[in-house]
Amino acid sequence: MRVSSSWTDFELIDTSAGKRLERWGNIILVRPDPQIIWDTPKEHPLWRNVHAVYHRSHSGGGHWQTLKKVPTVWDIGYKGLRFNLKMMSFKHTGIFPEQAINWDFISDKICAQKKPFKLLNLFGYTGAASLAAAAAGAKVCHVDASRGMVSWAKENASASGLADKPVRWIVDDCIKFVQKEIRRGNQYDGIIMDPPSYGRGPGGEIWKLEDQIFSLLNLCCEVLSEDAQFFVLNSYTSGISPCVMHCMLSLTLKKAFGGSVFADEIGLPVTAHNIILPCGSTAIWQNA
């Protein structure tokens, strides 16, 4: 497992009975996580001194129970990047801290290049990967179907001092955007893709990962440059294992460009028990 262990502003303090005790800056939150099937004693004192707890509803969704004052927006940092956080209605805060291991990978690969680098970030969410790439010197195209998420990503760019970097902020359905780029003849040296299990585009387009991910990977091969460096595919969809992701990249990227593929779970260290909590999977194709 690849572990994001370089955080200072975020900490997964403890896990028990389907819940995560987390520190986001100086804000302590409890959020549900169905993978935490162990029921260990909640001995850490912060379990009894949290700012807010997210409760799932039996009918779907859920709500935040605020126990102490929480700012509407607050920010945390990671290696020079700043991210604005909010308690969102579906339990998230605006970033996935386990993805930091991939931000580091992207940054290192771009910094190693001796020529200009163009990166495409599909399903870009609030922009953490785009900002890591921009800070490393890449020219970035950030695409997400949600206008609100793209606006949030722009706010994070400003907070990180990267507002003047060459980033195109695009609100579009990702499949339609890639098809347009193929017709325009645009190409990229690296692609990041973090697709949801299910979603809708700005025009009501329906996205279901299992039905559309393989065809989108094939489309992406057509917008990669001849000397493309990497392709990063993330997934939080249950049933899409690292092995399945490895197969997909091998049958698309590796078949088209050669190189190598590796895939594994990504995770976060749990301070209280010295264990690692798995938090999704990543498959990476590289040209070497």
Side-chain angles (χ1 to χ4, degrees):
M1 184 183 296
R2 299 167 62 234
V3 181
S4 295
S5 57
S6 298
W7 280 97
T8 55
D9 279 4
F10 170 85
E11 180 185 7
L12 181 51
I13 302 167
D14 200 1
T15 56
S16 180
K19 294 181 172 58
R20 302 161 57 142
L21 177 67
E22 303 168 316
R23 177 179 61 81
W24 300 81
N26 59 1
I27 303 297
I28 307 300
L29 302 179
V30 171
R31 299 190 298 154
D33 190 320
Q35 293 196 103
I36 303 170
I37 60 175
W38 48 91
D39 189 1
T40 49
K42 296 178 180 178
E43 296 174 343
H44 199 288
L46 285 177
W47 282 110
R48 294 168 291 282
N49 192 27
V50 304
H51 288 79
V53 179
Y54 188 88
H55 298 283
R56 284 202 180 278
S57 168
H58 294 298
S59 58
H63 70 279
W64 286 99
Q65 176 190 9
T66 303
L67 303 173
K68 297 166 68 174
K69 185 178 175 67
V70 179
T72 303
V73 179
W74 75 102
D75 74 313
I76 64 173
Y78 182 81
K79 296 186 177 180
L81 304 176
R82 303 299 301 181
F83 308 115
N84 291 335
L85 305 182
K86 308 169 189 175
M87 293 194 305
M88 302 165 74
S89 60
F90 41 95
K91 90 170 184 178
H92 299 305
T93 62
I95 63 166
F96 294 89
E98 62 274 8
Q99 288 294 334
I101 192 72
N102 289 327
W103 308 337
D104 291 343
F105 169 84
I106 293 160
S107 179
D108 290 345
K109 291 289 285 187
I110 293 169
C111 287
Q113 303 306 306
K114 294 182 171 60
K115 63 177 184 176
F117 193 96
K118 290 179 62 179
L119 180 110
L120 175 62
N121 186 8
L122 298 171
F123 309 94
Y125 196 50
T126 60
S130 294
L131 300 186
K139 186 175 183 179
V140 180
C141 182
H142 173 105
V143 186
D144 197 280
S146 168
R147 188 172 300 277
M149 290 302 164
V150 173
S151 295
W152 193 340
K154 290 181 182 179
E155 293 170 7
N156 286 338
S158 294
S160 299
L162 299 171
D164 61 343
K165 294 294 183 179
V167 181
R168 294 171 61 204
W169 305 104
I170 307 293
V171 179
D172 202 351
D173 173 79
C174 287
I175 294 176
K176 289 184 176 180
F177 179 79
V178 173
Q179 290 169 335
K180 293 173 190 174
E181 291 292 83
I182 292 171
R183 292 194 294 269
R184 289 187 283 243
N186 287 337
Q187 292 191 320
Y188 298 87
D189 305 306
I191 297 179
I192 309 162
M193 187 190 296
D194 199 350
S197 299
Y198 179 87
R200 288 186 179 271
E205 304 88 349
I206 295 176
W207 163 270
K208 188 175 180 183
L209 187 139
E210 294 93 329
D211 294 342
Q212 293 168 282
I213 184 63
F214 190 71
S215 60
L216 179 54
L217 289 172
N218 276 305
L219 283 176
C220 286
C221 289
E222 299 187 50
V223 294
L224 279 172
S225 63
E226 289 185 0
D227 59 346
Q229 297 297 304
F230 63 81
F231 189 107
V232 178
L233 172 65
N234 293 303
S235 176
Y236 291 90
T237 303
S238 58
I240 307 295
S241 69
C243 185
V244 169
M245 296 167 70
H246 189 289
C247 289
M248 287 194 293
L249 293 195
S250 295
L251 292 169
T252 53
L253 279 299
K254 185 177 180 181
K255 182 179 179 180
F257 296 95
S260 61
V261 175
F262 73 89
D264 204 346
E265 291 182 296
I266 55 175
L268 290 166
V270 182
T271 304
H273 296 289
N274 194 28
I275 58 175
I276 305 298
L277 179 69
C279 304
S281 301
T282 298
I284 297 177
W285 167 82
Q286 299 182 77
N287 72 345

Short mmCIF file of all heavy atoms in Angstrom, two decimals, residues 27-76:
data_model
loop_
_atom_site.label_atom_id
_atom_site.label_comp_id
_atom_site.label_asym_id
_atom_site.label_seq_id
_atom_site.Cartn_x
_atom_site.Cartn_y
_atom_site.Cartn_z
N ILE A 27 -9.41 21.98 13.55
CA ILE A 27 -10.79 21.53 13.60
C ILE A 27 -10.83 20.01 13.70
O ILE A 27 -10.22 19.31 12.88
CB ILE A 27 -11.59 21.99 12.36
CG1 ILE A 27 -11.53 23.51 12.21
CG2 ILE A 27 -13.03 21.51 12.43
CD1 ILE A 27 -12.16 24.29 13.34
N ILE A 28 -11.55 19.49 14.70
CA ILE A 28 -11.65 18.05 14.93
C ILE A 28 -13.03 17.58 14.44
O ILE A 28 -14.06 18.06 14.91
CB ILE A 28 -11.48 17.69 16.41
CG1 ILE A 28 -10.18 18.29 16.97
CG2 ILE A 28 -11.50 16.18 16.60
CD1 ILE A 28 -8.93 17.83 16.26
N LEU A 29 -13.01 16.62 13.50
CA LEU A 29 -14.25 16.10 12.93
C LEU A 29 -14.32 14.59 13.11
O LEU A 29 -13.30 13.90 13.15
CB LEU A 29 -14.31 16.41 11.43
CG LEU A 29 -14.24 17.88 11.00
CD1 LEU A 29 -14.29 17.98 9.48
CD2 LEU A 29 -15.37 18.69 11.63
N VAL A 30 -15.56 14.08 13.20
CA VAL A 30 -15.83 12.65 13.17
C VAL A 30 -16.69 12.37 11.95
O VAL A 30 -17.75 12.98 11.78
CB VAL A 30 -16.53 12.16 14.45
CG1 VAL A 30 -16.98 10.70 14.29
CG2 VAL A 30 -15.61 12.28 15.65
N ARG A 31 -16.20 11.48 11.08
CA ARG A 31 -16.93 11.15 9.86
C ARG A 31 -17.06 9.64 9.73
O ARG A 31 -16.19 8.88 10.18
CB ARG A 31 -16.20 11.71 8.63
CG ARG A 31 -16.05 13.22 8.62
CD ARG A 31 -15.53 13.70 7.27
NE ARG A 31 -14.22 13.17 6.98
CZ ARG A 31 -13.73 13.01 5.75
NH1 ARG A 31 -14.47 13.34 4.70
NH2 ARG A 31 -12.52 12.54 5.56
N PRO A 32 -18.12 9.15 9.08
CA PRO A 32 -18.30 7.71 8.91
C PRO A 32 -17.38 7.13 7.84
O PRO A 32 -16.99 7.82 6.89
CB PRO A 32 -19.77 7.59 8.48
CG PRO A 32 -20.07 8.90 7.81
CD PRO A 32 -19.26 9.94 8.54
N ASP A 33 -17.03 5.86 8.02
CA ASP A 33 -16.25 5.13 7.03
C ASP A 33 -16.63 3.65 7.14
O ASP A 33 -16.34 3.01 8.15
CB ASP A 33 -14.75 5.31 7.29
CG ASP A 33 -13.89 4.76 6.16
OD1 ASP A 33 -14.23 3.69 5.63
OD2 ASP A 33 -12.88 5.40 5.81
N PRO A 34 -17.30 3.10 6.12
CA PRO A 34 -17.80 1.72 6.23
C PRO A 34 -16.72 0.66 6.32
O PRO A 34 -17.01 -0.48 6.70
CB PRO A 34 -18.63 1.56 4.93
CG PRO A 34 -18.07 2.58 3.98
CD PRO A 34 -17.65 3.73 4.84
N GLN A 35 -15.47 1.01 5.97
CA GLN A 35 -14.40 0.02 6.05
C GLN A 35 -13.94 -0.22 7.48
O GLN A 35 -13.27 -1.22 7.76
CB GLN A 35 -13.21 0.46 5.20
CG GLN A 35 -13.49 0.49 3.72
CD GLN A 35 -12.23 0.55 2.92
OE1 GLN A 35 -11.78 -0.44 2.35
NE2 GLN A 35 -11.63 1.72 2.87
N ILE A 36 -14.27 0.68 8.39
CA ILE A 36 -13.80 0.54 9.77
C ILE A 36 -14.76 -0.38 10.52
O ILE A 36 -15.69 0.06 11.20
CB ILE A 36 -13.70 1.93 10.45
CG1 ILE A 36 -12.76 2.83 9.64
CG2 ILE A 36 -13.19 1.79 11.88
CD1 ILE A 36 -12.77 4.28 10.08
N ILE A 37 -14.55 -1.68 10.37
CA ILE A 37 -15.46 -2.66 10.97
C ILE A 37 -14.97 -3.12 12.35
O ILE A 37 -15.62 -3.92 13.02
CB ILE A 37 -15.67 -3.88 10.05
CG1 ILE A 37 -14.36 -4.59 9.77
CG2 ILE A 37 -16.32 -3.42 8.73
CD1 ILE A 37 -14.52 -5.88 8.95
N TRP A 38 -13.80 -2.61 12.79
CA TRP A 38 -13.31 -2.94 14.13
C TRP A 38 -13.94 -1.98 15.14
O TRP A 38 -14.27 -0.83 14.84
CB TRP A 38 -11.79 -2.87 14.20
CG TRP A 38 -11.17 -1.62 13.60
CD1 TRP A 38 -10.88 -0.45 14.23
CD2 TRP A 38 -10.78 -1.44 12.23
NE1 TRP A 38 -10.32 0.45 13.37
CE2 TRP A 38 -10.25 -0.12 12.12
CE3 TRP A 38 -10.82 -2.25 11.09
CZ2 TRP A 38 -9.77 0.40 10.92
CZ3 TRP A 38 -10.33 -1.74 9.90
CH2 TRP A 38 -9.82 -0.43 9.83
N ASP A 39 -14.13 -2.48 16.36
CA ASP A 39 -14.76 -1.70 17.42
C ASP A 39 -13.80 -1.63 18.60
O ASP A 39 -13.93 -2.34 19.60
CB ASP A 39 -16.08 -2.34 17.83
CG ASP A 39 -16.89 -1.45 18.77
OD1 ASP A 39 -16.43 -0.34 19.08
OD2 ASP A 39 -17.98 -1.87 19.19
N THR A 40 -12.80 -0.77 18.47
CA THR A 40 -11.80 -0.61 19.51
C THR A 40 -12.25 0.46 20.51
O THR A 40 -13.06 1.33 20.17
CB THR A 40 -10.45 -0.19 18.89
OG1 THR A 40 -10.68 0.89 17.99
CG2 THR A 40 -9.84 -1.35 18.12
N PRO A 41 -11.75 0.43 21.73
CA PRO A 41 -12.13 1.45 22.72
C PRO A 41 -11.75 2.85 22.25
O PRO A 41 -10.63 3.06 21.75
CB PRO A 41 -11.33 1.05 23.97
CG PRO A 41 -11.03 -0.39 23.79
CD PRO A 41 -10.86 -0.60 22.32
N LYS A 42 -12.65 3.79 22.40
CA LYS A 42 -12.39 5.17 21.99
C LYS A 42 -11.73 5.91 23.15
O LYS A 42 -12.33 6.75 23.82
CB LYS A 42 -13.69 5.85 21.56
CG LYS A 42 -14.32 5.20 20.34
CD LYS A 42 -15.64 5.87 19.96
CE LYS A 42 -16.25 5.20 18.73
NZ LYS A 42 -17.56 5.78 18.36
N GLU A 43 -10.45 5.59 23.33
CA GLU A 43 -9.74 6.11 24.49
C GLU A 43 -9.17 7.51 24.27
O GLU A 43 -8.91 8.24 25.23
CB GLU A 43 -8.61 5.15 24.87
CG GLU A 43 -9.11 3.78 25.31
CD GLU A 43 -7.99 2.79 25.55
OE1 GLU A 43 -6.86 3.06 25.07
OE2 GLU A 43 -8.23 1.76 26.19
N HIS A 44 -8.96 7.90 23.03
CA HIS A 44 -8.38 9.22 22.79
C HIS A 44 -9.35 10.31 23.27
O HIS A 44 -10.54 10.29 22.95
CB HIS A 44 -8.09 9.41 21.29
CG HIS A 44 -7.11 10.50 21.03
ND1 HIS A 44 -7.42 11.84 21.18
CD2 HIS A 44 -5.80 10.46 20.64
CE1 HIS A 44 -6.37 12.57 20.88
NE2 HIS A 44 -5.37 11.75 20.55
N PRO A 45 -8.87 11.29 24.03
CA PRO A 45 -9.76 12.31 24.61
C PRO A 45 -10.49 13.16 23.57
O PRO A 45 -11.56 13.71 23.86
CB PRO A 45 -8.82 13.17 25.46
CG PRO A 45 -7.44 12.88 24.96
CD PRO A 45 -7.47 11.48 24.49
N LEU A 46 -9.95 13.27 22.36
CA LEU A 46 -10.61 14.11 21.35
C LEU A 46 -11.91 13.50 20.84
O LEU A 46 -12.73 14.21 20.23
CB LEU A 46 -9.65 14.38 20.19
CG LEU A 46 -8.55 15.40 20.49
CD1 LEU A 46 -7.61 15.56 19.31
CD2 LEU A 46 -9.15 16.76 20.87
N TRP A 47 -12.15 12.20 21.07
CA TRP A 47 -13.46 11.64 20.74
C TRP A 47 -14.58 12.39 21.50
O TRP A 47 -15.72 12.47 21.02
CB TRP A 47 -13.54 10.16 21.11
CG TRP A 47 -12.88 9.20 20.17
CD1 TRP A 47 -11.75 8.48 20.40
CD2 TRP A 47 -13.33 8.80 18.86
NE1 TRP A 47 -11.45 7.66 19.33
CE2 TRP A 47 -12.41 7.84 18.37
CE3 TRP A 47 -14.43 9.18 18.07
CZ2 TRP A 47 -12.56 7.24 17.10
CZ3 TRP A 47 -14.57 8.58 16.82
CH2 TRP A 47 -13.65 7.64 16.35
N ARG A 48 -14.23 12.93 22.65
CA ARG A 48 -15.22 13.62 23.49
C ARG A 48 -15.08 15.14 23.42
O ARG A 48 -15.66 15.86 24.25
CB ARG A 48 -15.09 13.13 24.95
CG ARG A 48 -15.49 11.65 25.08
CD ARG A 48 -15.10 11.06 26.40
NE ARG A 48 -13.65 10.91 26.56
CZ ARG A 48 -12.93 9.93 26.01
NH1 ARG A 48 -13.51 9.02 25.24
NH2 ARG A 48 -11.63 9.86 26.21
N ASN A 49 -14.32 15.62 22.43
CA ASN A 49 -14.09 17.06 22.33
C ASN A 49 -13.99 17.48 20.85
O ASN A 49 -13.06 18.17 20.44
CB ASN A 49 -12.81 17.44 23.08
CG ASN A 49 -12.67 18.94 23.26
OD1 ASN A 49 -13.65 19.69 23.29
ND2 ASN A 49 -11.43 19.41 23.36
N VAL A 50 -14.97 17.04 20.06
CA VAL A 50 -14.93 17.29 18.62
C VAL A 50 -15.73 18.54 18.28
O VAL A 50 -16.59 18.99 19.04
CB VAL A 50 -15.49 16.08 17.83
CG1 VAL A 50 -14.74 14.82 18.20
CG2 VAL A 50 -16.98 15.90 18.06
N HIS A 51 -15.43 19.09 17.11
CA HIS A 51 -16.18 20.25 16.63
C HIS A 51 -17.49 19.85 15.95
O HIS A 51 -18.50 20.54 16.09
CB HIS A 51 -15.32 21.05 15.63
CG HIS A 51 -14.21 21.81 16.27
ND1 HIS A 51 -13.02 21.21 16.65
CD2 HIS A 51 -14.09 23.12 16.61
CE1 HIS A 51 -12.21 22.12 17.18
NE2 HIS A 51 -12.84 23.29 17.17
N ALA A 52 -17.46 18.74 15.21
CA ALA A 52 -18.66 18.34 14.48
C ALA A 52 -18.59 16.85 14.16
O ALA A 52 -17.51 16.27 14.00
CB ALA A 52 -18.82 19.15 13.20
N VAL A 53 -19.78 16.24 14.07
CA VAL A 53 -19.93 14.82 13.74
C VAL A 53 -20.89 14.70 12.57
O VAL A 53 -21.96 15.34 12.56
CB VAL A 53 -20.47 14.01 14.93
CG1 VAL A 53 -20.63 12.54 14.55
CG2 VAL A 53 -19.58 14.17 16.15
N TYR A 54 -20.51 13.89 11.57
CA TYR A 54 -21.42 13.65 10.45
C TYR A 54 -22.21 12.37 10.72
O TYR A 54 -21.62 11.31 10.97
CB TYR A 54 -20.66 13.51 9.13
CG TYR A 54 -21.56 13.45 7.92
CD1 TYR A 54 -21.97 14.62 7.28
CD2 TYR A 54 -22.03 12.23 7.43
CE1 TYR A 54 -22.81 14.58 6.18
CE2 TYR A 54 -22.87 12.19 6.33
CZ TYR A 54 -23.26 13.36 5.72
OH TYR A 54 -24.11 13.32 4.63
N HIS A 55 -23.54 12.48 10.64
CA HIS A 55 -24.42 11.34 10.86
C HIS A 55 -25.07 10.94 9.54
O HIS A 55 -25.69 11.77 8.88
CB HIS A 55 -25.51 11.69 11.87
CG HIS A 55 -24.99 12.04 13.22
ND1 HIS A 55 -24.56 11.09 14.13
CD2 HIS A 55 -24.83 13.25 13.84
CE1 HIS A 55 -24.16 11.68 15.24
NE2 HIS A 55 -24.31 12.99 15.10
N ARG A 56 -24.93 9.66 9.18
CA ARG A 56 -25.61 9.16 7.99
C ARG A 56 -27.09 8.95 8.26
O ARG A 56 -27.49 8.57 9.37
CB ARG A 56 -24.99 7.84 7.54
CG ARG A 56 -23.66 8.00 6.84
CD ARG A 56 -23.39 6.77 5.96
NE ARG A 56 -22.13 6.88 5.25
CZ ARG A 56 -21.96 7.55 4.13
NH1 ARG A 56 -22.98 8.21 3.60
NH2 ARG A 56 -20.78 7.59 3.55
N SER A 57 -27.90 9.17 7.23
CA SER A 57 -29.33 8.90 7.31
C SER A 57 -29.60 7.50 6.76
O SER A 57 -28.95 7.05 5.82
CB SER A 57 -30.12 9.94 6.50
OG SER A 57 -31.46 9.53 6.35
N HIS A 58 -30.59 6.80 7.35
CA HIS A 58 -30.95 5.47 6.86
C HIS A 58 -31.55 5.54 5.46
O HIS A 58 -31.56 4.55 4.73
CB HIS A 58 -31.93 4.80 7.81
CG HIS A 58 -31.34 4.50 9.16
ND1 HIS A 58 -30.26 3.64 9.32
CD2 HIS A 58 -31.66 4.95 10.39
CE1 HIS A 58 -29.95 3.58 10.61
NE2 HIS A 58 -30.78 4.36 11.28
N SER A 59 -32.06 6.71 5.08
CA SER A 59 -32.68 6.87 3.76
C SER A 59 -31.71 7.44 2.73
O SER A 59 -32.10 7.76 1.61
CB SER A 59 -33.91 7.78 3.87
OG SER A 59 -33.56 9.05 4.40
N GLY A 60 -30.43 7.58 3.10
CA GLY A 60 -29.42 8.13 2.20
C GLY A 60 -29.01 9.53 2.62
O GLY A 60 -29.79 10.27 3.22
N GLY A 61 -27.79 9.91 2.29
CA GLY A 61 -27.30 11.23 2.69
C GLY A 61 -27.01 11.28 4.18
O GLY A 61 -26.68 10.28 4.81
N GLY A 62 -27.15 12.46 4.74
CA GLY A 62 -26.89 12.64 6.16
C GLY A 62 -26.81 14.10 6.51
O GLY A 62 -27.17 14.97 5.72
N HIS A 63 -26.29 14.38 7.73
CA HIS A 63 -26.20 15.77 8.17
C HIS A 63 -25.07 15.90 9.18
O HIS A 63 -24.65 14.93 9.82
CB HIS A 63 -27.51 16.24 8.80
CG HIS A 63 -27.80 15.58 10.12
ND1 HIS A 63 -28.35 14.32 10.23
CD2 HIS A 63 -27.59 16.03 11.41
CE1 HIS A 63 -28.48 14.01 11.52
NE2 HIS A 63 -28.02 15.02 12.25
N TRP A 64 -24.57 17.14 9.31
CA TRP A 64 -23.56 17.46 10.31
C TRP A 64 -24.23 17.89 11.61
O TRP A 64 -25.16 18.70 11.61
CB TRP A 64 -22.67 18.59 9.82
CG TRP A 64 -21.69 18.22 8.76
CD1 TRP A 64 -21.81 18.41 7.42
CD2 TRP A 64 -20.41 17.59 8.97
NE1 TRP A 64 -20.69 17.94 6.76
CE2 TRP A 64 -19.82 17.43 7.69
CE3 TRP A 64 -19.72 17.16 10.10
CZ2 TRP A 64 -18.57 16.86 7.52
CZ3 TRP A 64 -18.47 16.58 9.93
CH2 TRP A 64 -17.91 16.43 8.66
N GLN A 65 -23.74 17.36 12.71
CA GLN A 65 -24.12 17.84 14.05
C GLN A 65 -22.94 18.68 14.56
O GLN A 65 -21.86 18.15 14.81
CB GLN A 65 -24.39 16.67 14.99
CG GLN A 65 -24.69 17.10 16.43
CD GLN A 65 -24.71 15.93 17.40
OE1 GLN A 65 -24.33 14.80 17.05
NE2 GLN A 65 -25.16 16.18 18.61
N THR A 66 -23.15 19.98 14.68
CA THR A 66 -22.09 20.88 15.12
C THR A 66 -22.11 21.00 16.63
O THR A 66 -23.13 21.38 17.22
CB THR A 66 -22.24 22.26 14.47
OG1 THR A 66 -22.26 22.11 13.04
CG2 THR A 66 -21.07 23.16 14.85
N LEU A 67 -20.99 20.69 17.28
CA LEU A 67 -20.90 20.71 18.73
C LEU A 67 -20.09 21.90 19.24
O LEU A 67 -20.25 22.32 20.37
CB LEU A 67 -20.26 19.40 19.22
CG LEU A 67 -20.99 18.12 18.79
CD1 LEU A 67 -20.19 16.89 19.19
CD2 LEU A 67 -22.39 18.07 19.40
N LYS A 68 -19.19 22.40 18.38
CA LYS A 68 -18.41 23.59 18.69
C LYS A 68 -18.38 24.46 17.44
O LYS A 68 -18.59 23.96 16.34
CB LYS A 68 -16.98 23.21 19.12
CG LYS A 68 -16.92 22.38 20.40
CD LYS A 68 -15.54 21.75 20.60
CE LYS A 68 -14.48 22.77 20.90
NZ LYS A 68 -13.18 22.13 21.22
N LYS A 69 -18.12 25.73 17.61
CA LYS A 69 -18.13 26.65 16.48
C LYS A 69 -17.10 26.24 15.42
O LYS A 69 -15.93 26.02 15.73
CB LYS A 69 -17.84 28.08 16.95
CG LYS A 69 -17.94 29.14 15.86
CD LYS A 69 -17.68 30.52 16.43
CE LYS A 69 -17.66 31.59 15.36
NZ LYS A 69 -18.93 31.82 14.72
N VAL A 70 -17.58 26.13 14.17
CA VAL A 70 -16.72 25.79 13.04
C VAL A 70 -16.85 26.90 12.00
O VAL A 70 -17.97 27.27 11.64
CB VAL A 70 -17.12 24.44 12.41
CG1 VAL A 70 -16.22 24.11 11.21
CG2 VAL A 70 -17.05 23.32 13.43
N PRO A 71 -15.74 27.45 11.51
CA PRO A 71 -15.84 28.46 10.45
C PRO A 71 -16.56 27.91 9.22
O PRO A 71 -16.47 26.71 8.93
CB PRO A 71 -14.38 28.80 10.13
CG PRO A 71 -13.59 28.29 11.30
CD PRO A 71 -14.34 27.13 11.86
N THR A 72 -17.26 28.77 8.51
CA THR A 72 -17.89 28.34 7.27
C THR A 72 -16.84 27.83 6.29
O THR A 72 -17.04 26.84 5.58
CB THR A 72 -18.67 29.51 6.63
OG1 THR A 72 -19.62 30.00 7.58
CG2 THR A 72 -19.39 29.08 5.37
N VAL A 73 -15.70 28.52 6.26
CA VAL A 73 -14.56 28.10 5.44
C VAL A 73 -13.29 28.25 6.28
O VAL A 73 -13.13 29.26 6.98
CB VAL A 73 -14.42 28.97 4.17
CG1 VAL A 73 -13.21 28.53 3.35
CG2 VAL A 73 -15.69 28.92 3.32
N TRP A 74 -12.43 27.24 6.27
CA TRP A 74 -11.11 27.38 6.88
C TRP A 74 -10.11 26.70 5.94
O TRP A 74 -10.50 26.08 4.96
CB TRP A 74 -11.08 26.78 8.29
CG TRP A 74 -11.06 25.30 8.41
CD1 TRP A 74 -9.98 24.50 8.68
CD2 TRP A 74 -12.18 24.39 8.31
NE1 TRP A 74 -10.34 23.18 8.74
CE2 TRP A 74 -11.68 23.08 8.52
CE3 TRP A 74 -13.54 24.55 8.05
CZ2 TRP A 74 -12.50 21.95 8.48
CZ3 TRP A 74 -14.35 23.43 8.00
CH2 TRP A 74 -13.84 22.16 8.21
N ASP A 75 -8.82 26.88 6.18
CA ASP A 75 -7.85 26.34 5.24
C ASP A 75 -6.76 25.56 5.95
O ASP A 75 -6.48 25.78 7.13
CB ASP A 75 -7.27 27.44 4.35
CG ASP A 75 -6.28 28.32 5.10
OD1 ASP A 75 -6.60 28.75 6.21
OD2 ASP A 75 -5.19 28.58 4.56
N ILE A 76 -6.17 24.63 5.19
CA ILE A 76 -5.01 23.88 5.66
C ILE A 76 -3.98 23.86 4.53
O ILE A 76 -4.29 24.17 3.37
CB ILE A 76 -5.35 22.44 6.10
CG1 ILE A 76 -5.86 21.61 4.91
CG2 ILE A 76 -6.36 22.45 7.23
CD1 ILE A 76 -6.04 20.13 5.25
#
